[in-house]
């Protein structure tokens, strides 16, 4: 039953974001929220009825996420009590949407799957659903059919169904490697299907015009290759890499030709050396202002100015840097917790790639590429809406990692060294 509720949760979320369907029921709640809370209750009830002892897999990840949630909640509480100008209700809403709900999504998709097979089925169902969303968005972008999905900024950048153009760019940067991995691990018609999805996703990534997503994808790919190289044949990796580079170059040129004004603007900004603010699309000015405002109270570098305080800081734009936003609002303590969470996920993804093999290893390597792309991209972007999809996929994937690692340890009671590096 829980498996089908998780699938329904994904369908509802995809429908809300893709077709802008309002399923709200008041007080900031939606049908998705209600289903999420119902799932939490159901999973807890199952644990109580079926388990004789309490065991929390991947304790390090849960501790890191739990500490971040607790510290953000404490920050909101103190601001609400001691600062009469602080918008407590608005802060609570963002706390729920941006921190608490993300952890709950991670939890339900991690604990919701009862075993390895269930986790894999839910993972593939969700990935096919995202693939369908990508095709519909691409069709809408082609101007052949107007589905009312695609958004477009004043400068011609595609904003897609998942937030603004920057957020949508990061969303595609996370999923495009997964599409490619599915294509590489499939055969026949399925391979053609996933290569088509990959091409659609990459074209939409380019059309988003998000240089943060571009940098994230590029650096994420470089780091990802180093990360997974011990588990694959190096010659085959180079061959596949060259083939994909040629295909992606063709797609990039094709998309660029259809929007020459946007490309010209981006190239002009990126090659200008006279004005750093213009080169960064104003980001350096925002970052400088954020640091200067925080420097007015040096102690805030340790514990922050308070959750959701940047919105009230008087700075004219959002930080365009998730790490800087954590520093401003939660200080070095909160930033350290956030980075610890990202690193804990990386460690578990390494287990995931190490313990799987064949097609599964290729797919989970795609997850590694996507996660590294996100980690880099959020240095230039404030990310909101895509976190649901990212954390839910990480929850499903780390469940697979846990089950495979448990299976491996049962078969190999003595610890063995990491898989040897393939010969170059």
């Amino acid at each position: 039953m829980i498996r089908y509720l998780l699938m329904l949760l994904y369908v509802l979320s995809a429908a809300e974001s893709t077709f802008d369907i309002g399923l709200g029921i008041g007080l900031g709640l939606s049908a998705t929220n209600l289903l999420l809370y119902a799932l939490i209750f159901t999973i807890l009830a199952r644990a109580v009825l079926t388990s004789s002892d309490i065991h929390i897999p991947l304790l390090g990840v849960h501790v890191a996420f739990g500490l971040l949630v607790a510290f953000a909640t404490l920050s909101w509480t103190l601001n609400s009590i001691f600062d009469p100008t602080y918008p407590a209700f608005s802060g609570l809403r963002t706390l729920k949407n941006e921190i608490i709900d993300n952890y709950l999504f991670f939890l339900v998709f991690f604990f919701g799957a009862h075993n390895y097979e269930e986790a894999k089925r839910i993972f593939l169902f969700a990935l096919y659903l995202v693939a369908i969303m990508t095709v519909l968005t691409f069709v809408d972008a082609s101007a052949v059919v107007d589905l009312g999905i695609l958004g477009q900024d004043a400068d011609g950048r595609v904003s897609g169904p998942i937030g603004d153009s920057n957020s949508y760019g990061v969303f595609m940067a996370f999923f495009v490697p997964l599409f490619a991995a599915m294509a590489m691990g499939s055969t026949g018609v399925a391979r053609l299907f996933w290569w088509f999805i990959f091409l659609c996703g990459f074209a939409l990534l380019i059309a988003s015009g998000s240089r943060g997503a571009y940098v994230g994808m590029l650096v994420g790919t470089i780091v990802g290759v180093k990360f997974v190289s011990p588990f694959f044949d190096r010659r085959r990796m180079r061959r596949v890499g060259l083939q994909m580079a040629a295909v992606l170059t063709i797609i990039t040129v094709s998309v660029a030709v259809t929007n020459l004004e946007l490309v010209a603007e981006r190239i002009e900004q990126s090659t200008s050396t006279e004005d750093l603010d213009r080169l960064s699309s104003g980001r350096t000015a925002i970052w400088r202002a954020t640091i200067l405002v925080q420097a007015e109270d040096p102690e805030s570098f340790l514990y922050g100015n308070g959750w959701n305080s940047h919105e009230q800081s008087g700075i004219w734009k959002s930080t365009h840097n998730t790490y800087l936003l954590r520093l401003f609002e939660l200080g070095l303590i909160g930033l350290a917790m956030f980075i610890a969470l990202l690193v804990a996920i990386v460690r578990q993804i390494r287990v995931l790639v190490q313990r799987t093999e064949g097609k599964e290893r290729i797919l989970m390597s795609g997850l590694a590429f996507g996660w590294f792309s996100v980690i880099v991209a959020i240095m230039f972007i404030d990310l909101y809406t895509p976190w649901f999809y990212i954390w839910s996929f990480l929850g499903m994937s780390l469940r697979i990692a846990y089950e495979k690692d448990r299976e491996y340890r049962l078969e190999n009671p003595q610890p063995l060294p990491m898989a040897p590096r393939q010969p170059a």
Side-chain angles (χ1 to χ4, degrees):
M1 173 186 175
I2 292 178
R3 178 178 67 187
Y4 297 111
L5 289 177
L6 288 170
M7 292 177 178
L8 178 60
L9 178 62
Y10 234 88
V11 170
L12 285 177
S13 179
E16 282 184 335
S17 56
T18 303
F19 298 104
D20 196 22
I21 299 174
L23 299 176
I25 56 176
L27 297 177
L29 294 175
S30 65
T32 302
N33 289 128
L34 283 182
L35 184 54
L36 171 65
Y37 305 144
L39 273 164
I40 293 170
F41 176 80
T42 306
I43 291 170
L44 286 174
R46 183 183 69 182
V48 170
L49 294 173
T50 61
S51 301
S52 58
D53 59 344
I54 297 176
H55 173 64
I56 303 178
L58 275 59
L59 185 60
V61 174
H62 297 295
V63 168
F65 219 146
L67 286 175
L68 180 61
V69 170
F71 190 69
T73 303
L74 175 63
S75 177
W76 170 82
T77 302
L78 294 176
N79 266 34
S80 300
I81 295 173
F82 296 107
D83 185 356
T85 65
Y86 179 69
F89 182 76
S90 174
L92 179 61
R93 186 175 64 249
T94 60
L95 178 67
K96 182 190 81 71
N97 293 337
E98 297 173 19
I99 296 288
I100 297 175
D101 278 357
N102 284 333
Y103 185 37
L104 294 179
F105 283 126
F106 175 81
L107 286 177
V108 297
F109 280 96
F110 180 83
F111 287 105
H114 198 55
N115 52 44
Y116 165 75
E117 291 298 333
E118 268 199 357
K120 187 176 177 181
R121 286 195 198 100
I122 299 168
F123 181 97
L124 292 175
F125 174 85
L127 190 58
Y128 271 99
L129 193 59
V130 173
I132 293 171
M133 291 168 56
T134 302
V135 171
L136 291 175
T137 306
F138 182 79
V139 169
D140 198 26
S142 67
V144 175
V145 180
D146 184 7
L147 300 176
I149 300 172
L150 196 67
Q152 198 168 41
D153 296 343
D155 56 4
R157 299 164 62 192
V158 168
S159 59
I162 313 296
D164 59 16
S165 55
N166 286 323
S167 294
Y168 189 63
V170 178
F171 174 81
M172 293 314 310
F174 179 77
F175 281 103
V176 161
L178 281 168
F179 298 155
M182 284 294 290
M184 292 179 191
S186 303
T187 58
V189 176
R191 169 170 286 198
L192 294 177
F193 169 79
W194 283 109
W195 276 126
F196 173 69
I197 301 297
F198 166 77
L199 296 177
C200 291
F202 188 78
L204 291 170
L205 169 63
I206 297 300
S208 72
S210 173
R211 287 180 294 173
Y214 298 166
V215 173
M217 187 79 175
L218 176 61
V219 178
T221 300
I222 295 171
V223 176
V225 168
K226 180 68 175 177
F227 185 79
V228 305
S229 61
F231 312 110
F232 291 94
D233 179 74
R234 301 285 289 278
R235 291 190 182 91
R236 184 184 178 191
M237 286 184 66
R238 282 195 290 266
R239 183 172 64 252
V240 172
L242 290 173
Q243 292 171 349
M244 291 188 65
V247 173
L248 297 183
T249 300
I250 295 172
I251 298 173
T252 303
V253 171
S254 300
V255 175
V257 167
T258 63
N259 202 335
L260 293 175
E261 292 183 4
L262 175 60
V263 172
E265 177 189 349
R266 290 298 176 185
I267 292 176
E268 181 185 355
Q269 289 180 348
S270 300
T271 56
S272 172
T273 57
E274 298 178 0
D275 188 345
L276 187 59
D277 290 342
R278 178 173 173 78
L279 174 63
S280 63
S281 296
R283 283 178 173 82
T284 54
I286 299 169
W287 297 345
R288 185 165 55 249
T290 301
I291 294 297
L292 289 174
V293 169
Q294 189 159 17
E296 294 175 1
D297 180 12
E299 293 181 355
S300 68
F301 281 105
L302 178 62
Y303 49 77
N305 291 282
W307 174 259
N308 201 42
S309 57
H310 189 274
E311 187 176 319
Q312 313 300 321
S313 65
I315 300 172
W316 64 96
K317 273 192 176 183
S318 60
T319 57
H320 284 74
N321 186 322
T322 302
Y323 300 102
L324 183 59
L325 181 62
R326 293 287 172 264
L327 175 65
F328 184 87
E329 295 188 345
L330 302 179
L332 288 171
I333 296 174
L335 177 61
M337 291 176 177
F338 181 64
I339 293 175
L341 173 60
L342 303 184
V343 172
I345 297 295
V346 170
R347 288 176 177 171
Q348 292 304 319
I349 290 178
R350 184 171 181 80
V351 173
L352 183 59
V353 176
Q354 180 188 10
R355 298 296 187 237
T356 50
E357 56 186 18
K359 296 178 181 179
E360 285 185 342
R361 177 172 284 180
I362 295 173
L363 179 58
M364 297 313 162
S365 297
L367 180 77
F369 280 73
W371 181 236
F372 285 125
S373 297
V374 171
I375 290 175
V376 175
I378 59 177
M379 294 180 64
F380 311 97
I381 293 167
D382 293 325
L383 201 61
Y384 300 107
T385 307
W387 279 125
F388 159 74
Y389 298 92
I390 294 170
W391 285 118
S392 58
F393 261 85
L394 289 172
M396 292 179 273
S397 302
L398 296 195
R399 184 69 191 195
I400 294 172
Y402 167 72
E403 295 293 344
K404 296 296 289 187
D405 193 45
R406 184 173 64 169
E407 177 185 304
Y408 177 85
R409 292 180 186 279
L410 288 174
E411 296 174 355
N412 302 273
Q414 297 298 324
L416 295 177
M418 297 286 288
R421 183 182 293 274
Q422 297 288 344

